[in-house]
Amino acid sequence: MTAKPTIIDCDPGTDDAIALFLALSSPELDVRLVTVAGGNVGLDRTTANARAVVGLTGRAVPIVAGANRSLLADFRAETAVHGDDGIGGVVLPEGPPLAPGIAADAIREELRRAAPGSVTVIGLGPVTNLALAFATEPALLDRVAEIVLMSGAWTEGNITPAAEFNAWNDPEALAMLLNLGARVAIATLDLTAQAFVTPALIEAMARREGGACWRAALAIFRALPTSKRFGHRGFPLHDPCAIAWAIDPGLFGAKSAHCAMDLASGPSRGRTVIDRWERLKLPANVTLMETLDAGRFFAMLEDRVASLP
Ligand code: RIB
Ligand code: CA
């Protein structure tokens, strides 16, 4: 198996942290670069969290800071879920310093070094950094194997009734990515709801021995609030689903679909209008993850993250 050269853009973020642990413990992915945006919390905290998480794994992956606002407006944080520090109050050792530069430039430099069609680009937050990179140098798309996003919803949103948090925080950036002509695999809220973490699951996972990363992951799971949307029975684990697709798409049921963005101001802004039943007869621009084998997903997550230092 040849590991996939991978770039991860994120806004850690509790579920981003778990996603980074999963990516950095998986031999299928050769994580070449982690870029960071604001989003769940401000860029000062998301960068500190990315440094701490990557540092805990012991992996020498460059971390580069990027956008602290969307293309058109400020980000709106989600501290009610992730805490003021963005990591659920879990205290981690300070990580390595940021690599110099700006995320969009670092993404382009990494793509420029890559072989044609070789790089998996994963977006776990507002995709401002990715949009800026490809808008500046669209020819670099020929180095990309696939773009994988945690974003959007085909039913209701989680930051407004219509929109999911990442899509809503920079809908123009997401619209740009969806119209690049690249293959974009998308894990929406409807998919991530199937990666559902309950108190019983956390306690079952806690019986697994592991190192500092696994203990940090368990502490994050225990810090996450249960979701009102799910009757406080637990919470959906969003970002690791995008990583899992890049590791093993066989965990998913998926189909091609057309996805349009609602960019109008007003209550539907940021909505991903996903045509699952081809009613508009428009060309597909996403690979839509529809189902997840949750048992295999959580077993993989536990095996991989528990294997970290
Ligand atoms: O809506 C969930 C998404 O928004 C996740 O990526 C979470 O980390 C937040 O960024
Ligand atoms: Ca995120």
Side-chain angles (χ1 to χ4, degrees), residues 146-198:
E146 182 174 42
I147 296 172
V148 188
L149 304 178
M150 190 280 135
S151 189
W154 69 70
T155 52
E156 64 180 348
N158 63 348
I159 189 74
T160 70
E164 178 278 327
F165 179 88
N166 291 334
W168 182 82
N169 252 315
D170 200 338
E172 282 75 20
L174 180 54
M176 285 172 69
L177 290 191
L178 293 173
N179 293 302
L180 285 172
R183 279 184 56 199
V184 180
I186 192 165
T188 68
L189 291 178
D190 318 90
L191 185 281
T192 65
Q194 299 169 53
F196 196 68
V197 181
T198 62

mmCIF file of all heavy atoms in Angstrom, residues 146-198:
data_model
loop_
_atom_site.group_PDB
_atom_site.id
_atom_site.type_symbol
_atom_site.label_atom_id
_atom_site.label_comp_id
_atom_site.label_asym_id
_atom_site.label_seq_id
_atom_site.Cartn_x
_atom_site.Cartn_y
_atom_site.Cartn_z
ATOM 1 N N GLU A 146 -8.077 14.122 -4.766
ATOM 2 C CA GLU A 146 -9.456 14.271 -4.279
ATOM 3 C C GLU A 146 -9.473 15.335 -3.181
ATOM 4 O O GLU A 146 -8.511 15.452 -2.416
ATOM 5 C CB GLU A 146 -9.954 12.936 -3.691
ATOM 6 C CG GLU A 146 -11.397 12.944 -3.200
ATOM 7 C CD GLU A 146 -11.865 11.560 -2.778
ATOM 8 O OE1 GLU A 146 -11.091 10.826 -2.121
ATOM 9 O OE2 GLU A 146 -13.016 11.197 -3.110
ATOM 10 N N ILE A 147 -10.542 16.094 -3.140
ATOM 11 C CA ILE A 147 -10.816 16.991 -2.016
ATOM 12 C C ILE A 147 -11.876 16.303 -1.157
ATOM 13 O O ILE A 147 -12.863 15.770 -1.707
ATOM 14 C CB ILE A 147 -11.312 18.364 -2.501
ATOM 15 C CG1 ILE A 147 -10.227 19.085 -3.318
ATOM 16 C CG2 ILE A 147 -11.743 19.236 -1.326
ATOM 17 C CD1 ILE A 147 -10.708 20.372 -3.996
ATOM 18 N N VAL A 148 -11.659 16.224 0.136
ATOM 19 C CA VAL A 148 -12.609 15.591 1.058
ATOM 20 C C VAL A 148 -12.983 16.628 2.122
ATOM 21 O O VAL A 148 -12.111 17.200 2.771
ATOM 22 C CB VAL A 148 -12.004 14.357 1.759
ATOM 23 C CG1 VAL A 148 -13.083 13.616 2.559
ATOM 24 C CG2 VAL A 148 -11.362 13.412 0.753
ATOM 25 N N LEU A 149 -14.269 16.867 2.276
ATOM 26 C CA LEU A 149 -14.722 17.903 3.209
ATOM 27 C C LEU A 149 -15.703 17.339 4.232
ATOM 28 O O LEU A 149 -16.559 16.506 3.863
ATOM 29 C CB LEU A 149 -15.426 19.035 2.450
ATOM 30 C CG LEU A 149 -14.645 19.733 1.330
ATOM 31 C CD1 LEU A 149 -15.533 20.791 0.684
ATOM 32 C CD2 LEU A 149 -13.348 20.334 1.840
ATOM 33 N N MET A 150 -15.594 17.798 5.467
ATOM 34 C CA MET A 150 -16.713 17.697 6.388
ATOM 35 C C MET A 150 -17.430 19.023 6.223
ATOM 36 O O MET A 150 -16.909 20.081 6.640
ATOM 37 C CB MET A 150 -16.252 17.514 7.849
ATOM 38 C CG MET A 150 -17.420 17.163 8.786
ATOM 39 S SD MET A 150 -18.383 18.620 9.256
ATOM 40 C CE MET A 150 -20.076 18.029 9.046
ATOM 41 N N SER A 151 -18.642 18.995 5.654
ATOM 42 C CA SER A 151 -19.338 20.256 5.417
ATOM 43 C C SER A 151 -20.774 19.987 5.000
ATOM 44 O O SER A 151 -21.071 18.941 4.414
ATOM 45 C CB SER A 151 -18.628 21.048 4.304
ATOM 46 O OG SER A 151 -19.150 22.361 4.186
ATOM 47 N N GLY A 152 -21.641 20.920 5.297
ATOM 48 C CA GLY A 152 -22.977 20.902 4.719
ATOM 49 C C GLY A 152 -23.937 19.913 5.342
ATOM 50 O O GLY A 152 -23.633 19.213 6.305
ATOM 51 N N ALA A 153 -25.116 19.895 4.745
ATOM 52 C CA ALA A 153 -26.197 18.999 5.192
ATOM 53 C C ALA A 153 -27.224 18.923 4.080
ATOM 54 O O ALA A 153 -27.426 19.899 3.349
ATOM 55 C CB ALA A 153 -26.850 19.545 6.462
ATOM 56 N N TRP A 154 -27.874 17.739 3.965
ATOM 57 C CA TRP A 154 -28.977 17.710 2.995
ATOM 58 C C TRP A 154 -30.318 17.862 3.720
ATOM 59 O O TRP A 154 -31.349 18.052 3.085
ATOM 60 C CB TRP A 154 -28.957 16.460 2.110
ATOM 61 C CG TRP A 154 -29.256 15.146 2.718
ATOM 62 C CD1 TRP A 154 -30.465 14.704 3.175
ATOM 63 C CD2 TRP A 154 -28.331 14.060 2.932
ATOM 64 N NE1 TRP A 154 -30.361 13.422 3.661
ATOM 65 C CE2 TRP A 154 -29.061 13.002 3.514
ATOM 66 C CE3 TRP A 154 -26.973 13.866 2.674
ATOM 67 C CZ2 TRP A 154 -28.474 11.762 3.843
ATOM 68 C CZ3 TRP A 154 -26.378 12.654 2.993
ATOM 69 C CH2 TRP A 154 -27.127 11.631 3.585
ATOM 70 N N THR A 155 -30.267 17.835 5.041
ATOM 71 C CA THR A 155 -31.492 18.159 5.782
ATOM 72 C C THR A 155 -31.235 19.454 6.553
ATOM 73 O O THR A 155 -30.902 20.459 5.961
ATOM 74 C CB THR A 155 -31.878 16.999 6.727
ATOM 75 O OG1 THR A 155 -30.723 16.667 7.526
ATOM 76 C CG2 THR A 155 -32.302 15.766 5.949
ATOM 77 N N GLU A 156 -31.321 19.400 7.897
ATOM 78 C CA GLU A 156 -31.221 20.675 8.628
ATOM 79 C C GLU A 156 -29.776 20.979 9.022
ATOM 80 O O GLU A 156 -28.925 20.083 9.092
ATOM 81 C CB GLU A 156 -32.105 20.619 9.879
ATOM 82 C CG GLU A 156 -31.680 19.592 10.887
ATOM 83 C CD GLU A 156 -32.610 19.592 12.107
ATOM 84 O OE1 GLU A 156 -33.415 20.535 12.255
ATOM 85 O OE2 GLU A 156 -32.523 18.663 12.907
ATOM 86 N N GLY A 157 -29.532 22.241 9.304
ATOM 87 C CA GLY A 157 -28.200 22.690 9.702
ATOM 88 C C GLY A 157 -27.985 22.545 11.196
ATOM 89 O O GLY A 157 -28.834 22.008 11.919
ATOM 90 N N ASN A 158 -26.814 23.022 11.626
ATOM 91 C CA ASN A 158 -26.527 22.979 13.070
ATOM 92 C C ASN A 158 -26.091 24.340 13.610
ATOM 93 O O ASN A 158 -25.862 24.490 14.803
ATOM 94 C CB ASN A 158 -25.467 21.914 13.408
ATOM 95 C CG ASN A 158 -24.118 22.213 12.759
ATOM 96 O OD1 ASN A 158 -24.013 23.085 11.888
ATOM 97 N ND2 ASN A 158 -23.093 21.497 13.174
ATOM 98 N N ILE A 159 -25.979 25.329 12.740
ATOM 99 C CA ILE A 159 -25.668 26.691 13.217
ATOM 100 C C ILE A 159 -26.839 27.607 12.882
ATOM 101 O O ILE A 159 -27.140 28.529 13.608
ATOM 102 C CB ILE A 159 -24.347 27.217 12.608
ATOM 103 C CG1 ILE A 159 -23.909 28.522 13.279
ATOM 104 C CG2 ILE A 159 -24.466 27.368 11.084
ATOM 105 C CD1 ILE A 159 -23.348 28.342 14.664
ATOM 106 N N THR A 160 -27.543 27.296 11.811
ATOM 107 C CA THR A 160 -28.858 27.871 11.520
ATOM 108 C C THR A 160 -29.742 26.701 11.096
ATOM 109 O O THR A 160 -29.224 25.608 10.828
ATOM 110 C CB THR A 160 -28.808 28.902 10.353
ATOM 111 O OG1 THR A 160 -28.555 28.183 9.135
ATOM 112 C CG2 THR A 160 -27.743 29.963 10.596
ATOM 113 N N PRO A 161 -31.061 26.910 11.011
ATOM 114 C CA PRO A 161 -31.902 25.777 10.556
ATOM 115 C C PRO A 161 -31.488 25.252 9.181
ATOM 116 O O PRO A 161 -31.682 24.096 8.858
ATOM 117 C CB PRO A 161 -33.312 26.394 10.524
ATOM 118 C CG PRO A 161 -33.253 27.532 11.479
ATOM 119 C CD PRO A 161 -31.859 28.084 11.389
ATOM 120 N N ALA A 162 -30.874 26.139 8.379
ATOM 121 C CA ALA A 162 -30.562 25.771 6.993
ATOM 122 C C ALA A 162 -29.116 25.326 6.801
ATOM 123 O O ALA A 162 -28.817 24.601 5.851
ATOM 124 C CB ALA A 162 -30.828 26.965 6.069
ATOM 125 N N ALA A 163 -28.206 25.788 7.638
ATOM 126 C CA ALA A 163 -26.781 25.652 7.278
ATOM 127 C C ALA A 163 -25.942 24.963 8.346
ATOM 128 O O ALA A 163 -26.161 25.152 9.553
ATOM 129 C CB ALA A 163 -26.184 27.044 6.996
ATOM 130 N N GLU A 164 -24.991 24.190 7.882
ATOM 131 C CA GLU A 164 -23.986 23.562 8.744
ATOM 132 C C GLU A 164 -22.877 24.581 9.023
ATOM 133 O O GLU A 164 -22.579 25.446 8.202
ATOM 134 C CB GLU A 164 -23.457 22.311 8.003
ATOM 135 C CG GLU A 164 -22.360 21.540 8.714
ATOM 136 C CD GLU A 164 -20.991 22.154 8.484
ATOM 137 O OE1 GLU A 164 -20.761 22.716 7.395
ATOM 138 O OE2 GLU A 164 -20.183 22.117 9.423
ATOM 139 N N PHE A 165 -22.193 24.429 10.153
ATOM 140 C CA PHE A 165 -21.258 25.431 10.659
ATOM 141 C C PHE A 165 -20.154 25.774 9.653
ATOM 142 O O PHE A 165 -19.897 26.948 9.379
ATOM 143 C CB PHE A 165 -20.640 24.907 11.967
ATOM 144 C CG PHE A 165 -19.640 25.825 12.605
ATOM 145 C CD1 PHE A 165 -20.045 26.815 13.497
ATOM 146 C CD2 PHE A 165 -18.292 25.693 12.326
ATOM 147 C CE1 PHE A 165 -19.115 27.645 14.109
ATOM 148 C CE2 PHE A 165 -17.352 26.535 12.925
ATOM 149 C CZ PHE A 165 -17.771 27.508 13.817
ATOM 150 N N ASN A 166 -19.443 24.789 9.103
ATOM 151 C CA ASN A 166 -18.321 25.088 8.204
ATOM 152 C C ASN A 166 -18.803 25.789 6.939
ATOM 153 O O ASN A 166 -18.224 26.787 6.501
ATOM 154 C CB ASN A 166 -17.583 23.800 7.808
ATOM 155 C CG ASN A 166 -16.835 23.176 8.969
ATOM 156 O OD1 ASN A 166 -16.453 23.863 9.921
ATOM 157 N ND2 ASN A 166 -16.639 21.866 8.925
ATOM 158 N N ALA A 167 -19.896 25.272 6.373
ATOM 159 C CA ALA A 167 -20.438 25.878 5.144
ATOM 160 C C ALA A 167 -20.908 27.300 5.423
ATOM 161 O O ALA A 167 -20.644 28.232 4.666
ATOM 162 C CB ALA A 167 -21.580 25.021 4.600
ATOM 163 N N TRP A 168 -21.583 27.456 6.548
ATOM 164 C CA TRP A 168 -22.159 28.769 6.885
ATOM 165 C C TRP A 168 -21.074 29.805 7.153
ATOM 166 O O TRP A 168 -21.223 30.975 6.817
ATOM 167 C CB TRP A 168 -23.051 28.613 8.114
ATOM 168 C CG TRP A 168 -23.752 29.844 8.552
ATOM 169 C CD1 TRP A 168 -24.903 30.383 8.061
ATOM 170 C CD2 TRP A 168 -23.317 30.720 9.607
ATOM 171 N NE1 TRP A 168 -25.220 31.527 8.756
ATOM 172 C CE2 TRP A 168 -24.258 31.761 9.714
ATOM 173 C CE3 TRP A 168 -22.220 30.708 10.487
ATOM 174 C CZ2 TRP A 168 -24.151 32.778 10.648
ATOM 175 C CZ3 TRP A 168 -22.109 31.731 11.428
ATOM 176 C CH2 TRP A 168 -23.059 32.753 11.490
ATOM 177 N N ASN A 169 -19.953 29.375 7.729
ATOM 178 C CA ASN A 169 -18.906 30.325 8.108
ATOM 179 C C ASN A 169 -18.144 30.870 6.908
ATOM 180 O O ASN A 169 -17.504 31.913 7.015
ATOM 181 C CB ASN A 169 -17.936 29.699 9.119
ATOM 182 C CG ASN A 169 -18.124 30.285 10.519
ATOM 183 O OD1 ASN A 169 -18.234 31.495 10.673
ATOM 184 N ND2 ASN A 169 -18.173 29.434 11.511
ATOM 185 N N ASP A 170 -18.179 30.168 5.778
ATOM 186 C CA ASP A 170 -17.628 30.753 4.555
ATOM 187 C C ASP A 170 -18.263 30.095 3.331
ATOM 188 O O ASP A 170 -17.637 29.299 2.636
ATOM 189 C CB ASP A 170 -16.100 30.630 4.469
ATOM 190 C CG ASP A 170 -15.536 31.646 3.471
ATOM 191 O OD1 ASP A 170 -16.296 32.101 2.584
ATOM 192 O OD2 ASP A 170 -14.333 31.994 3.577
ATOM 193 N N PRO A 171 -19.519 30.444 3.056
ATOM 194 C CA PRO A 171 -20.232 29.805 1.941
ATOM 195 C C PRO A 171 -19.638 30.123 0.578
ATOM 196 O O PRO A 171 -19.644 29.268 -0.322
ATOM 197 C CB PRO A 171 -21.666 30.340 2.075
ATOM 198 C CG PRO A 171 -21.572 31.561 2.932
ATOM 199 C CD PRO A 171 -20.373 31.400 3.796
ATOM 200 N N GLU A 172 -19.080 31.317 0.422
ATOM 201 C CA GLU A 172 -18.452 31.657 -0.870
ATOM 202 C C GLU A 172 -17.229 30.781 -1.114
ATOM 203 O O GLU A 172 -16.982 30.329 -2.234
ATOM 204 C CB GLU A 172 -18.053 33.138 -0.906
ATOM 205 C CG GLU A 172 -19.207 34.104 -1.166
ATOM 206 C CD GLU A 172 -20.130 34.304 0.029
ATOM 207 O OE1 GLU A 172 -19.696 34.008 1.173
ATOM 208 O OE2 GLU A 172 -21.278 34.723 -0.162
ATOM 209 N N ALA A 173 -16.460 30.517 -0.058
ATOM 210 C CA ALA A 173 -15.282 29.655 -0.223
ATOM 211 C C ALA A 173 -15.707 28.246 -0.618
ATOM 212 O O ALA A 173 -15.112 27.620 -1.502
ATOM 213 C CB ALA A 173 -14.464 29.619 1.071
ATOM 214 N N LEU A 174 -16.753 27.745 0.007
ATOM 215 C CA LEU A 174 -17.248 26.397 -0.324
ATOM 216 C C LEU A 174 -17.788 26.378 -1.752
ATOM 217 O O LEU A 174 -17.516 25.445 -2.517
ATOM 218 C CB LEU A 174 -18.317 25.960 0.672
ATOM 219 C CG LEU A 174 -18.918 24.571 0.450
ATOM 220 C CD1 LEU A 174 -17.839 23.496 0.371
ATOM 221 C CD2 LEU A 174 -19.913 24.247 1.567
ATOM 222 N N ALA A 175 -18.490 27.436 -2.139
ATOM 223 C CA ALA A 175 -19.005 27.509 -3.518
ATOM 224 C C ALA A 175 -17.861 27.467 -4.522
ATOM 225 O O ALA A 175 -17.963 26.786 -5.563
ATOM 226 C CB ALA A 175 -19.824 28.781 -3.690
ATOM 227 N N MET A 176 -16.776 28.147 -4.199
ATOM 228 C CA MET A 176 -15.621 28.129 -5.111
ATOM 229 C C MET A 176 -15.081 26.703 -5.263
ATOM 230 O O MET A 176 -14.831 26.236 -6.370
ATOM 231 C CB MET A 176 -14.517 29.041 -4.575
ATOM 232 C CG MET A 176 -14.765 30.518 -4.750
ATOM 233 S SD MET A 176 -13.526 31.503 -3.883
ATOM 234 C CE MET A 176 -12.081 31.154 -4.862
ATOM 235 N N LEU A 177 -14.927 26.006 -4.132
ATOM 236 C CA LEU A 177 -14.383 24.633 -4.198
ATOM 237 C C LEU A 177 -15.314 23.719 -4.988
ATOM 238 O O LEU A 177 -14.867 22.875 -5.764
ATOM 239 C CB LEU A 177 -14.170 24.069 -2.800
ATOM 240 C CG LEU A 177 -13.054 24.664 -1.939
ATOM 241 C CD1 LEU A 177 -12.836 23.784 -0.707
ATOM 242 C CD2 LEU A 177 -11.742 24.798 -2.709
ATOM 243 N N LEU A 178 -16.618 23.904 -4.807
ATOM 244 C CA LEU A 178 -17.585 23.026 -5.487
ATOM 245 C C LEU A 178 -17.633 23.282 -6.991
ATOM 246 O O LEU A 178 -18.136 22.449 -7.744
ATOM 247 C CB LEU A 178 -18.976 23.219 -4.871
ATOM 248 C CG LEU A 178 -19.151 22.744 -3.431
ATOM 249 C CD1 LEU A 178 -20.505 23.158 -2.902
ATOM 250 C CD2 LEU A 178 -18.959 21.225 -3.334
ATOM 251 N N ASN A 179 -17.095 24.397 -7.402
ATOM 252 C CA ASN A 179 -17.148 24.737 -8.830
ATOM 253 C C ASN A 179 -15.784 24.687 -9.498
ATOM 254 O O ASN A 179 -15.618 25.198 -10.610
ATOM 255 C CB ASN A 179 -17.788 26.120 -9.011
ATOM 256 C CG ASN A 179 -19.267 26.097 -8.608
ATOM 257 O OD1 ASN A 179 -20.049 25.329 -9.162
ATOM 258 N ND2 ASN A 179 -19.624 26.857 -7.584
ATOM 259 N N LEU A 180 -14.820 24.047 -8.813
ATOM 260 C CA LEU A 180 -13.470 23.948 -9.391
ATOM 261 C C LEU A 180 -13.379 22.882 -10.472
ATOM 262 O O LEU A 180 -12.443 22.857 -11.250
ATOM 263 C CB LEU A 180 -12.471 23.594 -8.271
ATOM 264 C CG LEU A 180 -12.068 24.687 -7.291
ATOM 265 C CD1 LEU A 180 -11.243 24.088 -6.170
ATOM 266 C CD2 LEU A 180 -11.292 25.802 -7.989
ATOM 267 N N GLY A 181 -14.304 21.941 -10.450
ATOM 268 C CA GLY A 181 -14.201 20.820 -11.380
ATOM 269 C C GLY A 181 -13.428 19.659 -10.786
ATOM 270 O O GLY A 181 -13.196 18.647 -11.457
ATOM 271 N N ALA A 182 -13.020 19.781 -9.515
ATOM 272 C CA ALA A 182 -12.284 18.675 -8.861
ATOM 273 C C ALA A 182 -13.281 17.693 -8.262
ATOM 274 O O ALA A 182 -14.451 18.012 -8.060
ATOM 275 C CB ALA A 182 -11.399 19.239 -7.751
ATOM 276 N N ARG A 183 -12.812 16.471 -7.970
ATOM 277 C CA ARG A 183 -13.646 15.510 -7.234
ATOM 278 C C ARG A 183 -13.709 15.951 -5.784
ATOM 279 O O ARG A 183 -12.673 16.102 -5.136
ATOM 280 C CB ARG A 183 -13.011 14.114 -7.308
ATOM 281 C CG ARG A 183 -13.295 13.375 -8.593
ATOM 282 C CD ARG A 183 -12.703 11.979 -8.540
ATOM 283 N NE ARG A 183 -13.194 11.219 -7.367
ATOM 284 C CZ ARG A 183 -12.556 10.140 -6.887
ATOM 285 N NH1 ARG A 183 -11.412 9.761 -7.416
ATOM 286 N NH2 ARG A 183 -13.048 9.484 -5.862
ATOM 287 N N VAL A 184 -14.911 16.204 -5.283
ATOM 288 C CA VAL A 184 -15.087 16.634 -3.896
ATOM 289 C C VAL A 184 -15.982 15.624 -3.186
ATOM 290 O O VAL A 184 -17.157 15.485 -3.516
ATOM 291 C CB VAL A 184 -15.724 18.036 -3.813
ATOM 292 C CG1 VAL A 184 -15.892 18.454 -2.349
ATOM 293 C CG2 VAL A 184 -14.878 19.067 -4.564
ATOM 294 N N ALA A 185 -15.399 14.908 -2.226
ATOM 295 C CA ALA A 185 -16.198 13.990 -1.403
ATOM 296 C C ALA A 185 -16.642 14.748 -0.165
ATOM 297 O O ALA A 185 -15.849 15.495 0.430
ATOM 298 C CB ALA A 185 -15.387 12.767 -1.019
ATOM 299 N N ILE A 186 -17.902 14.616 0.206
ATOM 300 C CA ILE A 186 -18.429 15.461 1.274
ATOM 301 C C ILE A 186 -19.128 14.629 2.333
ATOM 302 O O ILE A 186 -19.954 13.756 2.029
ATOM 303 C CB ILE A 186 -19.363 16.551 0.683
ATOM 304 C CG1 ILE A 186 -19.707 17.609 1.696
ATOM 305 C CG2 ILE A 186 -20.582 15.960 0.019
ATOM 306 C CD1 ILE A 186 -20.312 18.863 1.063
ATOM 307 N N ALA A 187 -18.719 14.842 3.574
ATOM 308 C CA ALA A 187 -19.356 14.227 4.745
ATOM 309 C C ALA A 187 -20.223 15.296 5.393
ATOM 310 O O ALA A 187 -19.706 16.223 6.026
ATOM 311 C CB ALA A 187 -18.304 13.711 5.723
ATOM 312 N N THR A 188 -21.526 15.166 5.209
ATOM 313 C CA THR A 188 -22.460 16.164 5.737
ATOM 314 C C THR A 188 -22.884 15.790 7.163
ATOM 315 O O THR A 188 -22.557 14.708 7.664
ATOM 316 C CB THR A 188 -23.729 16.221 4.865
ATOM 317 O OG1 THR A 188 -24.431 14.969 5.043
ATOM 318 C CG2 THR A 188 -23.389 16.448 3.406
ATOM 319 N N LEU A 189 -23.663 16.649 7.769
ATOM 320 C CA LEU A 189 -24.202 16.358 9.104
ATOM 321 C C LEU A 189 -25.047 15.085 9.098
ATOM 322 O O LEU A 189 -25.109 14.360 10.098
ATOM 323 C CB LEU A 189 -25.071 17.525 9.580
ATOM 324 C CG LEU A 189 -24.353 18.833 9.899
ATOM 325 C CD1 LEU A 189 -25.383 19.882 10.300
ATOM 326 C CD2 LEU A 189 -23.304 18.655 10.977
ATOM 327 N N ASP A 190 -25.679 14.798 7.956
ATOM 328 C CA ASP A 190 -26.546 13.618 7.878
ATOM 329 C C ASP A 190 -25.709 12.341 7.947
ATOM 330 O O ASP A 190 -26.153 11.310 8.433
ATOM 331 C CB ASP A 190 -27.341 13.662 6.569
ATOM 332 C CG ASP A 190 -27.839 15.071 6.282
ATOM 333 O OD1 ASP A 190 -27.085 15.823 5.614
ATOM 334 O OD2 ASP A 190 -28.910 15.446 6.764
ATOM 335 N N LEU A 191 -24.487 12.432 7.444
ATOM 336 C CA LEU A 191 -23.548 11.303 7.534
ATOM 337 C C LEU A 191 -22.936 11.242 8.938
ATOM 338 O O LEU A 191 -22.936 10.191 9.577
ATOM 339 C CB LEU A 191 -22.459 11.463 6.473
ATOM 340 C CG LEU A 191 -21.425 10.362 6.267
ATOM 341 C CD1 LEU A 191 -20.312 10.385 7.317
ATOM 342 C CD2 LEU A 191 -22.045 8.979 6.175
ATOM 343 N N THR A 192 -22.465 12.383 9.415
ATOM 344 C CA THR A 192 -21.742 12.355 10.702
ATOM 345 C C THR A 192 -22.669 12.000 11.865
ATOM 346 O O THR A 192 -22.222 11.525 12.905
ATOM 347 C CB THR A 192 -21.035 13.693 10.973
ATOM 348 O OG1 THR A 192 -22.024 14.739 11.135
ATOM 349 C CG2 THR A 192 -20.080 14.059 9.847
ATOM 350 N N ALA A 193 -23.968 12.185 11.661
ATOM 351 C CA ALA A 193 -24.929 11.771 12.706
ATOM 352 C C ALA A 193 -24.852 10.266 12.952
ATOM 353 O O ALA A 193 -25.239 9.763 14.021
ATOM 354 C CB ALA A 193 -26.351 12.151 12.292
ATOM 355 N N GLN A 194 -24.327 9.533 11.973
ATOM 356 C CA GLN A 194 -24.206 8.062 12.111
ATOM 357 C C GLN A 194 -22.959 7.683 12.893
ATOM 358 O O GLN A 194 -22.798 6.532 13.306
ATOM 359 C CB GLN A 194 -24.197 7.433 10.719
ATOM 360 C CG GLN A 194 -25.475 7.712 9.935
ATOM 361 C CD GLN A 194 -25.337 7.315 8.470
ATOM 362 O OE1 GLN A 194 -24.977 6.195 8.139
ATOM 363 N NE2 GLN A 194 -25.634 8.252 7.577
ATOM 364 N N ALA A 195 -22.048 8.654 13.060
ATOM 365 C CA ALA A 195 -20.851 8.432 13.909
ATOM 366 C C ALA A 195 -21.179 8.977 15.288
ATOM 367 O O ALA A 195 -20.616 9.972 15.749
ATOM 368 C CB ALA A 195 -19.653 9.152 13.309
ATOM 369 N N PHE A 196 -22.123 8.340 15.944
ATOM 370 C CA PHE A 196 -22.745 8.909 17.139
ATOM 371 C C PHE A 196 -22.076 8.377 18.398
ATOM 372 O O PHE A 196 -21.998 7.156 18.609
ATOM 373 C CB PHE A 196 -24.244 8.588 17.165
ATOM 374 C CG PHE A 196 -25.036 9.432 18.117
ATOM 375 C CD1 PHE A 196 -25.210 10.793 17.892
ATOM 376 C CD2 PHE A 196 -25.581 8.878 19.273
ATOM 377 C CE1 PHE A 196 -25.935 11.585 18.764
ATOM 378 C CE2 PHE A 196 -26.305 9.668 20.169
ATOM 379 C CZ PHE A 196 -26.480 11.023 19.917
ATOM 380 N N VAL A 197 -21.590 9.300 19.217
ATOM 381 C CA VAL A 197 -20.857 8.940 20.436
ATOM 382 C C VAL A 197 -21.785 9.064 21.638
ATOM 383 O O VAL A 197 -22.355 10.130 21.885
ATOM 384 C CB VAL A 197 -19.637 9.852 20.632
ATOM 385 C CG1 VAL A 197 -18.869 9.444 21.892
ATOM 386 C CG2 VAL A 197 -18.709 9.789 19.414
ATOM 387 N N THR A 198 -21.965 7.970 22.346
ATOM 388 C CA THR A 198 -22.810 7.971 23.551
ATOM 389 C C THR A 198 -21.923 7.782 24.781
ATOM 390 O O THR A 198 -20.777 7.307 24.665
ATOM 391 C CB THR A 198 -23.799 6.789 23.498
ATOM 392 O OG1 THR A 198 -23.027 5.574 23.483
ATOM 393 C CG2 THR A 198 -24.683 6.867 22.258
#
